[in-house]
Amino acid sequence: MENFSNNEALVFNTIKQLGRAYGHQIRKETGLGMSATYTALYRLEGKGYISSNEEEIDIPGGKRHRRFYSIAGIGDSALNSYLMSLQAGRNLAFEPG
């Protein structure tokens, strides 16, 4: 079973709750700093648990590119498994940061 750092678990669970989110939105929801948020996002994406795609969105005064994150197929089962083990008290230790 995969272990997640506190930040990875927090970011991962936030994406699951929101369904699809961009970095600043995830940062606001989690209360993490920018560096911690994006480090967790890059790690989770590197492990294949989340995926991202860049989209062009309309904003006042023009267009902007924004990267959206969502749970990838294997990510959903990995997160559910991890959260179930936490609830069962089998894995209460988090890795730092």
Side-chain angles (χ1 to χ4, degrees):
M1 179 186 64
E2 180 69 40
N3 280 327
F4 299 99
S5 71
N6 286 338
N7 292 348
E8 288 172 336
L10 184 58
V11 166
F12 204 3
N13 198 40
T14 300
I15 295 170
K16 182 176 174 81
Q17 290 173 356
L18 296 174
R20 179 175 171 267
Y22 58 96
H24 181 70
Q25 184 180 19
I26 295 165
R27 188 181 69 75
K28 282 178 27 181
E29 289 288 324
T30 61
L32 295 173
M34 188 182 311
S35 178
T37 300
Y38 283 98
T39 298
L41 287 169
Y42 295 142
R43 286 180 182 169
L44 291 168
E45 190 168 23
K47 293 175 184 179
Y49 295 135
I50 64 173
S51 59
S52 67
N53 65 306
E54 192 170 297
E55 297 178 18
E56 190 174 83
I57 59 168
D58 291 319
I59 60 170
K63 296 191 181 284
R64 180 182 184 120
H65 290 270
R66 187 167 278 168
R67 183 166 296 280
F68 287 89
Y69 297 89
S70 57
I71 302 290
I74 64 169
D76 199 39
S77 61
L79 179 61
N80 287 335
S81 200
Y82 182 70
L83 292 174
M84 285 175 42
S85 73
L86 287 177
Q87 287 176 339
R90 291 190 297 263
N91 186 10
L92 296 176
F94 284 105
E95 297 173 18

